[in-house]
Amino acid sequence: MDLPKKKPDPFLFDVVLRPHRSLSPLGFLILMLIISSICFTAGLFFLLQGAWPVMGFFGLDVLAIYIAFRLNYRTGRAIETLQLSDSELLITRINPSGTKHRWAFHPYWLQVHMDNPPEPSSKLTLSSHGQSLTIGSFLTPDERAEVATALRKALASWRTPVNI
């Protein structure tokens, strides 16, 4: 009996970076229902007192909060992938609008730059042959440092010759 052979993973390092959004879609719905009911109740109170224009401002508040959250969720659709193969490090960035950009670096010459210890303004930058690329700008400083460490280890492993 022949067992199917498992195809080896073509990537030595494969990471997908996404912005973190702590509020789920269900949580967003619940939050909007709570905000809407509070604003409607307060607006109804002012309407019964004769200050009817105030109710419209409460409606604008709800609309502004809704738009702010939707824009935040839209920026959360950004994705960056880092894939180290035998021949290159391929970085793919997909913007929230869906446009895709790709960069390829030869791993031997690639340098990974990140402040240690990381600060809020620290950037994770890849550079080689006069080109540089900042990645993971939506990550926290500690997450960027973690990605930098993992990528450095993968590059060091790639550069180390295998003795058989």
Side-chain angles (χ1 to χ4, degrees):
M1 180 165 83
D2 291 329
L3 295 174
K5 293 183 180 179
K6 184 179 177 186
K7 184 179 174 184
D9 188 12
F11 298 115
L12 306 170
F13 182 76
D14 189 7
V15 173
V16 178
L17 306 177
R18 297 175 190 266
H20 176 68
R21 296 296 181 259
S22 59
L23 189 62
S24 68
L26 178 62
F28 172 66
L29 177 65
I30 292 169
L31 179 67
M32 287 307 299
L33 288 173
I34 290 170
I35 290 172
S36 297
S37 61
I38 289 171
C39 287
F40 179 75
T41 304
L44 191 59
F45 171 77
F46 281 102
L47 178 68
L48 295 174
Q49 298 297 320
W52 58 269
V54 175
M55 188 153 189
F57 286 107
F58 278 113
L60 289 176
D61 286 346
V62 172
L63 180 64
I65 291 170
Y66 176 80
I67 290 171
F69 270 100
R70 294 307 301 171
L71 289 174
N72 183 287
Y73 277 116
R74 184 180 186 279
T75 60
R77 292 191 312 228
I79 297 173
E80 291 181 357
T81 60
L82 289 78
Q83 298 172 319
L84 178 62
S85 68
D86 288 335
S87 60
E88 67 181 359
L89 175 69
L90 180 65
I91 295 104
T92 306
R93 180 178 295 155
I94 302 173
N95 294 328
S97 62
T99 57
K100 188 182 283 190
H101 302 280
R102 290 189 176 177
W103 297 268
F105 293 96
H106 191 279
Y108 189 79
W109 305 108
L110 187 65
Q111 295 179 348
V112 180
H113 303 281
M114 178 71 191
D115 293 339
N116 190 12
E119 298 178 9
S121 62
S122 297
K123 294 180 180 179
L124 173 53
T125 306
L126 307 177
S127 61
S128 177
H129 290 91
Q131 293 181 329
S132 65
L133 177 66
T134 300
I135 60 170
S137 60
F138 46 77
L139 299 174
T140 65
D142 291 334
E143 290 170 333
R144 285 192 296 269
E146 186 179 333
V147 170
T149 301
L151 183 56
R152 283 185 189 118
K153 285 181 183 178
L155 288 170
S157 175
W158 181 90
R159 291 175 184 139
T160 305
V162 178
N163 295 326
I164 298 178

